[in-house]
Amino acid sequence: MEIELADDVAGHEPVAAPRGAGYADAVQVGRVVGVEAPGRRGSGYLIAGRLVLTSAHTTPEVGAAVRIHPIASGRSFAGVVTWRGTPGGRQDAALVRVDDPAWIEPDGRDPAFGRPATGRPHLPAEAWGFPRWTERPEWPTDTWQVTGSVSPGSRFEGDRFVLDLAHQPPAGKAPWAGLPGGAVFCGGLLIGVVAGDLDVGPGQLEVVPVSTLCREPGFADAAGRAVPRLSPVELTEAQLTESDQLLSPAALLRAGAEIVGFRGRHRLMDDMDDWCAGSGFAALLLHGPGGQGKSRVGYELTAERTADGWATLWLDASTSDEAIAAVSGVVVPLLIVVDRADSRPEQVRTLLRACARHDGAQPLRLLLIARTAGDWWRLLRTDRFAEQLLAHASVVALPLLDDDASGQLDAYQQAVHELAAALPRVPGYAGHDWPAIAARLIAVSHEPGGPVLAVQIEALADLLDAVWPGTAASARQSAEDRVLAHERRYWAFTAAWHGLPFDEAVLQDLLAVAMLFSPADDDQADRLLSGIAALDGQPRECRDAVRGWLADLYPGTDGEPWGSLQPDQLAERFVGLRLTESPELPEPLVPVVTEGQRRRMLTVYARAARQPGLADQLTDLCVRHADRLTQATIDAAGLVETPQPLVAALRRISADPGAEVERLAPIGEWLPRHGHDHTVWAVEITQRIAELHRRAGREAELATALNNLSVRLGDLGSNGPALAAIEEAVLIHRRLAGQQPETFEADLARSLSNLCVRLGELGQLEPGLTAGEEATELYRRLDDREPGTFLPDLAMALRNLALCLGALERFPQALAAIEESVLLYQRLAEERPDEFLPDLAVSLSILGINLGSLDRDEESLHVAEQAVLIRRRLTAQRPDASRPGLATALTDLAVRHVVLNQRPEALAAVEEALAIRHRLVEKWPETFGEDLEWSLHVQKVILEA
């Protein structure tokens, strides 16, 4: 690693620092300070308003006085040591609070903290400090900027990073004597401080990692929320960064602002702490209505994991697939939070593929936050990787907090106090005696109710109304409308500052459109603004002014032209009010925006449609623009809590006699395979699609539609028609394969496999075996023609064939088929273990059963042991997804031991299986009840033997 030394920089001169991806300037030079105590001098960095991070080597004991010298100031300020680690020890750091009344807090956002997470060497880094201050007592003294790289693996056991210096240090007897306490940045994140032990080795400096400090309870207590999270350095591009500015009263309600303290949820947080225990991957979906406090739970969990030294990542919606892929190489405990996961299922799929490649040596936890666990969740788990990782993920419905009158009153009073304390931080709100106003409000009887956010909205509305009563307060409108009335003052003032020539109604329509369609980049913003009727004919300068107004009102994150009013509940209420007044607002924009913006518009519209009259408006809008909105309607229906207006639109679209396949097919694919009404609807659509293909003479498409129809009819319990449909599909594919084998033989093989399954369900085992044998032979021929392409299909077909032969008690033939399936899955698992190890474990279990059926008990036991070993490996990597399979493999192993009269081994295996299955049944009794009964039966047999 090379460390380059920059030229000296005068202490009062501003110096440009590198930018970290997604963060403000990494080193804000104005925050670099000198720390002085009797006989001690060193460096430090201002990490919050009055809080300085420095070295224990530089400071005296806790409670002692020190002087703080800002780099850009000619004077010093009084401070006191609030926490101090051990000089020269693992916690060689200290915190100093500036208690000088003359201190002025700096502008700009506080630094973001992080830790290297992948073990990748030579990460670019920089440090700032005053190495020669001990030799030059005058102030200001010269600063040094040390740039180079850190290698996290060096001194890993000692909880340190090492900087190996390639260049000579400053001249002098003790060239680095004033550098301890200097902040070290990497990837735009503050990752540690220079340690006080300078006698490490030739040309070396040591760094005390912030992640080590976070694990110290005293440090966490003294720092408070100054270190809210430790972002992974290698994933800075993926980290969500929100503005920390409180530009308007509503900003106090943002979950990320954490103005009102977290309360309650003790049982939930204990459960989530248990969920985080252990190694490997685990996922949890936390869902509940808007305003229930889901995101706050995420922030609280982030703080708890940060206190344990974990890296934490709040995934930004704009993160590239390439950046997400770095998750697979993380070698430290990592919590990933995906807020609004229901609005970005494709990104979640990409993330899960990266998680599937993680080695499982350290904890990797994925917290998904959404309003529902509905269709989006069901569809997400149809992905192969997602199915493996999420099959048994924890799903938690967030209950109402403080559902009794006493608890809600306490929550209201807490919110009044803490919002009042924060209101002076909002521009234009500092000139009022908010503590006195809060005291008067609390003295008056209140009966707040509803979710936690509703209580906080009411508290904020009451505070604001006490200063500016207005018509909203006098009319006793809802708390949401009262807060919006005060927010409108902010909108109007900012619009006037930008010189916008529009009346209040037009301004509000512009804002509603901006919130409805939320452009992701500059191009989308330009097209959106160009399509707004109110801006038609206006010069470019006017559109630019509107864009600047929107960006100033609610700044966007990571490249977004603008953000939105937060929390979502307020934005949805406001949009609903504007759509009631101006129902035509979205109409001209549907043709000019992207598919993603249409989905966003319909999602927000549907959530706003709780207001009277909007549901029918939304349905009519979707039907009028069915050519452009059908897919967006399908997507949005899977995301919202009350999709009835969208479902009504889809029913009308699919009932249109003129609807073509291109419009019907996405609706049919979206419909779930459960629920009688949905199943009947799906059959109707699939029958229409098949008939349209039949009339048009599209045989290949007809065969595919018949295959789908067979599945849907089977879901409905219409087994006879389902068999007829798949038999016709096989006939068509057989004819097409005879004409164009290279094009259609794979389709024929799939249809035959499905026919085998359908016949097996009807108890027609011999015809099912015939279909299975033909499918297997076709996959062999396909694999010969395109080696490797159809190997997974052949392995699966052989497994199905083995099951069919076993059901017919043709055990030798079944054994031959499953042995070949195992060999194929072993080859596949060597190349792609994340994808095919679970399949290998399943085939091994079937192989063990077949060997047992042929009285080859020793071999059966050996195979069962192999299956358990694979299941243990998978469980270490993905506990939630793999524990059910481990329990099955252990029960099978117990049976093998019983056959061989190995009672102690059998009992140990089945008891481990029972421990797993009891826990599974507590969460999913209907899913795992029968499995538990089988393991209990095996245990009973062992005990009675």
Side-chain angles (χ1 to χ4, degrees):
M1 172 193 51
E2 295 184 352
I3 296 292
E4 297 180 353
L5 304 181
D7 294 334
D8 289 3
V9 180
H12 60 281
E13 293 293 331
V15 179
R19 286 184 69 88
Y23 289 93
D25 287 346
V27 179
Q28 298 178 54
V29 180
R31 291 176 176 262
V32 178
V33 300
V35 181
E36 183 178 22
R40 305 167 188 259
R41 283 179 176 164
S43 306
Y45 196 82
L46 189 68
I47 62 172
R50 290 176 173 265
L51 197 61
V52 172
L53 177 63
T54 183
S55 169
H57 178 84
T58 302
T59 58
E61 66 278 359
V62 172
V66 297
R67 302 297 297 181
I68 300 299
H69 299 259
I71 190 173
S73 174
R75 59 163 296 183
S76 65
F77 298 85
V80 62
V81 180
T82 59
W83 175 83
R84 183 174 184 249
T86 305
R90 293 191 177 204
Q91 300 82 31
D92 187 359
L95 290 171
V96 173
R97 182 166 298 280
V98 183
D99 56 4
D100 196 315
W103 176 261
I104 298 176
E105 295 188 9
D107 294 330
R109 68 185 302 152
D110 294 336
F113 291 80
R115 63 173 298 180
T118 65
R120 187 186 304 164
H122 309 303
L123 297 171
E126 61 177 321
W128 284 75
F130 309 98
R132 294 188 288 192
W133 191 19
T134 58
E135 298 180 352
R136 300 180 182 182
E138 72 281 357
W139 184 270
T141 189
D142 293 333
T143 61
W144 278 73
Q145 179 190 13
V146 182
T147 63
S149 61
V150 296
S151 295
S154 300
R155 288 296 315 276
F156 176 79
E157 295 82 0
D159 280 335
R160 295 285 179 91
F161 302 142
V162 175
L163 302 181
D164 296 314
L165 305 180
H167 298 274
Q168 293 298 317
K173 295 180 180 179
W176 297 117
L179 192 59
V184 179
F185 282 79
C186 183
L189 302 168
L190 200 164
I191 65 168
V193 296
V194 177
D197 184 3
L198 300 174
D199 188 21
V200 179
Q204 291 186 327
L205 289 174
E206 285 196 343
V207 178
V208 180
V210 175
S211 56
T212 299
L213 302 179
C214 285
R215 296 197 297 269
E216 290 298 308
F219 176 85
D221 292 341
R225 289 300 176 99
V227 187
R229 69 178 71 157
L230 294 174
S231 298
V233 167
E234 299 87 342
L235 288 159
T236 51
E237 181 188 332
Q239 185 71 265
L240 174 67
T241 56
E242 298 179 295
S243 172
D244 58 358
Q245 296 175 292
L246 300 176
L247 298 176
S248 71
L252 301 174
L253 300 171
R254 282 191 299 108
E258 298 185 79
I259 298 299
V260 180
F262 188 79
R263 58 182 284 117
R265 309 284 190 200
H266 303 298
R267 173 66 181 274
L268 173 64
M269 299 313 298
D270 288 344
D271 290 344
M272 298 189 87
D273 193 54
D274 292 341
W275 170 69
C276 288
S279 59
F281 175 85
L284 186 149
L285 170 63
L286 181 67
H287 67 94
Q292 203 93 303
K294 303 179 296 296
S295 298
R296 278 306 303 270
V297 170
Y299 282 110
E300 189 67 16
L301 183 64
T302 297
E304 291 184 1
R305 297 283 70 79
T306 299
D308 289 336
W310 284 41
T312 59
L313 172 67
W314 279 68
L315 187 65
D316 187 89
S318 63
T319 304
S320 67
D321 292 355
E322 182 181 2
I324 291 174
V327 167
S328 64
V330 168
V331 296
V332 302
L334 174 64
L335 168 68
I336 304 174
V337 181
V338 183
D339 203 357
R340 301 186 181 94
D342 45 358
S343 68
R344 39 180 166 154
E346 286 305 319
Q347 187 185 53
V348 175
R349 285 191 181 92
T350 301
L351 175 60
L352 288 168
R353 292 187 181 98
C355 292
R357 297 191 296 273
H358 185 257
D359 65 9
Q362 292 286 346
L364 175 60
R365 296 294 178 268
L366 173 59
L367 174 62
L368 302 172
I369 299 175
R371 290 199 181 182
T372 71
D375 288 340
W376 76 274
W377 179 244
R378 172 182 60 82
L379 293 171
L380 175 66
R381 291 183 294 170
T382 61
D383 178 87
R384 182 176 178 86
F385 285 107
E387 182 181 21
Q388 293 176 7
L389 292 173
L390 301 180
H392 303 294
S394 300
V395 179
V396 178
L398 189 66
L400 188 69
L401 180 66
D402 296 322
D403 55 358
D404 61 275
S406 175
Q408 289 184 341
L409 181 59
D410 289 344
Y412 172 81
Q413 292 178 347
Q414 177 189 354
V416 167
H417 273 302
E418 293 176 355
L419 290 167
L423 271 167
R425 296 164 54 190
V426 179
Y429 286 76
H432 304 279
D433 188 356
W434 294 110
I437 295 170
R440 290 199 300 271
L441 285 175
I442 290 173
V444 177
S445 176
H446 283 273
E447 294 182 2
V452 59
L453 180 59
V455 173
Q456 293 176 14
I457 289 174
E458 183 172 351
L460 180 60
D462 290 346
L463 284 165
L464 297 173
D465 287 348
V467 176
W468 298 283
T471 56
S474 61
R476 299 309 300 168
Q477 295 181 9
S478 71
E480 290 176 348
D481 290 347
R482 290 154 57 206
V483 170
L484 286 172
H486 294 285
E487 198 75 0
R488 289 187 184 96
R489 298 172 58 248
Y490 167 59
W491 301 339
F493 173 82
T494 312
W497 188 86
H498 279 272
L500 296 182
F502 304 114
D503 60 27
E504 183 180 5
V506 172
L507 288 174
Q508 292 185 29
D509 283 349
L510 291 171
L511 191 54
V513 165
M515 293 179 189
L516 270 172
F517 289 96
S518 294
D521 54 39
D522 292 341
D523 180 61
Q524 290 183 15
D526 286 340
R527 280 188 283 131
L528 179 65
L529 294 177
S530 298
I532 296 176
L535 298 180
D536 188 30
Q538 295 287 344
R540 173 75 192 203
E541 293 76 14
C542 181
R543 290 204 304 273
D544 289 345
V546 169
R547 182 170 172 169
W549 172 61
L550 294 170
D552 280 354
L553 285 178
Y554 305 110
T557 61
D558 294 330
E560 292 178 339
W562 57 76
S564 182
L565 171 63
Q566 294 290 320
D568 290 341
Q569 189 170 327
L570 284 180
E572 291 157 10
R573 173 61 179 170
F574 167 69
V575 166
L577 291 171
R578 294 316 305 161
L579 287 170
T580 301
E581 292 292 325
S582 306
E584 74 286 349
L585 267 183
E587 204 87 30
L589 298 167
V590 170
V592 302
V593 298
T594 66
E595 186 67 18
Q597 287 177 284
R598 293 176 187 133
R599 180 172 61 247
R600 159 75 180 179
M601 180 269 292
L602 293 179
T603 302
V604 176
Y605 203 145
R607 287 172 173 162
R610 55 188 173 138
Q611 299 175 44
L614 288 184
D616 291 342
Q617 276 184 208
L618 173 57
T619 299
D620 292 343
L621 175 71
C622 295
V623 174
R624 277 197 307 274
H625 294 276
D627 55 334
R628 288 189 171 95
L629 288 182
T630 296
Q631 187 59 55
T633 304
I634 292 169
D635 294 341
L639 302 178
V640 299
E641 308 91 307
T642 52
Q644 288 85 346
L646 300 170
V647 173
L650 292 173
R651 282 195 176 275
R652 286 173 56 183
I653 291 169
S654 65
D656 179 3
E660 294 294 333
V661 170
E662 293 73 21
R663 194 168 296 171
L664 293 171
I667 301 175
E669 292 168 5
W670 162 72
L671 285 167
R673 293 182 59 188
H674 58 78
H676 182 77
D677 290 345
H678 278 168
T679 304
V680 170
W681 184 11
V683 167
E684 292 171 355
I685 290 175
T686 313
Q687 285 174 328
R688 283 188 59 195
I689 291 172
E691 188 59 31
L692 286 169
H693 286 312
R694 195 187 300 277
R695 289 177 187 172
R698 296 186 288 260
E699 281 199 307
E701 292 82 357
L702 171 60
T704 299
L706 287 167
N707 185 80
N708 295 338
L709 179 59
S710 174
V711 173
R712 292 296 193 175
L713 286 166
D715 293 340
L716 197 59
S718 301
N719 294 321
L723 179 59
I726 192 61
E727 286 176 333
E728 185 181 359
V730 168
L731 287 173
I732 295 171
H733 275 142
R734 193 183 300 282
R735 183 166 59 251
L736 293 171
Q739 298 166 358
Q740 301 177 58
E742 292 188 359
T743 302
F744 291 106
E745 276 190 342
D747 293 319
L748 174 58
R750 278 188 284 271
S751 290
L752 284 165
S753 293
N754 291 339
L755 176 60
C756 173
V757 172
R758 180 63 57 200
L759 288 166
E761 289 176 350
L762 290 170
Q764 300 182 32
L765 298 180
E766 290 286 355
L769 175 61
T770 301
E773 289 174 332
E774 185 180 359
T776 302
E777 288 307 310
L778 276 172
Y779 279 128
R780 288 191 197 282
R781 191 155 67 238
L782 289 164
D783 186 61
D784 289 340
R785 186 190 305 158
E786 300 179 41
T789 302
F790 293 95
L791 212 58
D793 299 289
L794 176 57
M796 178 67 74
L798 284 162
R799 189 163 75 198
N800 290 338
L801 183 61
L803 291 171
C804 196
L805 288 163
L808 289 166
E809 298 185 0
R810 300 181 186 180
F811 298 124
Q813 298 98 313
L815 179 62
I818 196 61
E819 283 179 331
E820 187 178 358
S821 176
V822 166
L823 288 174
L824 293 178
Y825 277 127
Q826 284 173 336
R827 283 174 52 191
L828 291 164
E830 286 176 4
E831 299 170 2
R832 290 176 279 175
D834 299 317
E835 189 172 353
F836 290 110
L837 269 178
D839 286 310
L840 174 58
V842 171
S843 287
L844 280 169
S845 294
I846 296 171
L847 173 59
I849 293 169
N850 274 273
L851 287 166
S853 299
L854 293 169
D855 297 327
R856 294 165 62 174
D857 298 326
E858 292 287 350
E859 295 172 80
S860 178
L861 174 64
H862 176 66
V863 169
E865 289 172 337
Q866 284 183 283
V868 168
L869 285 175
I870 293 174
R871 292 293 185 183
R872 289 196 193 282
R873 175 180 169 184
L874 292 169
T875 301
Q877 295 175 335
R878 311 165 193 165
D880 288 341
S882 302
R883 281 196 187 101
L886 176 59
T888 298
L890 284 165
T891 305
D892 291 343
L893 178 61
V895 172
R896 296 301 104 204
H897 282 303
V898 168
V899 171
L900 291 167
N901 295 317
Q902 297 171 346
R903 187 173 181 274
E905 293 87 348
L907 193 59
V910 79
E911 285 180 347
E912 185 179 354
L914 282 169
I916 295 171
R917 283 182 164 165
H918 276 300
R919 291 197 299 270
L920 292 171
V921 167
E922 286 179 6
K923 290 185 177 181
W924 300 284
E926 294 182 1
T927 304
F928 295 107
E930 290 185 6
D931 295 333
L932 175 61
E933 289 179 9
W934 169 241
S935 293
L936 286 168
H937 172 74
V938 172
Q939 182 193 42
K940 181 181 178 182
V941 170
I942 296 168
L943 292 173
E944 292 177 351

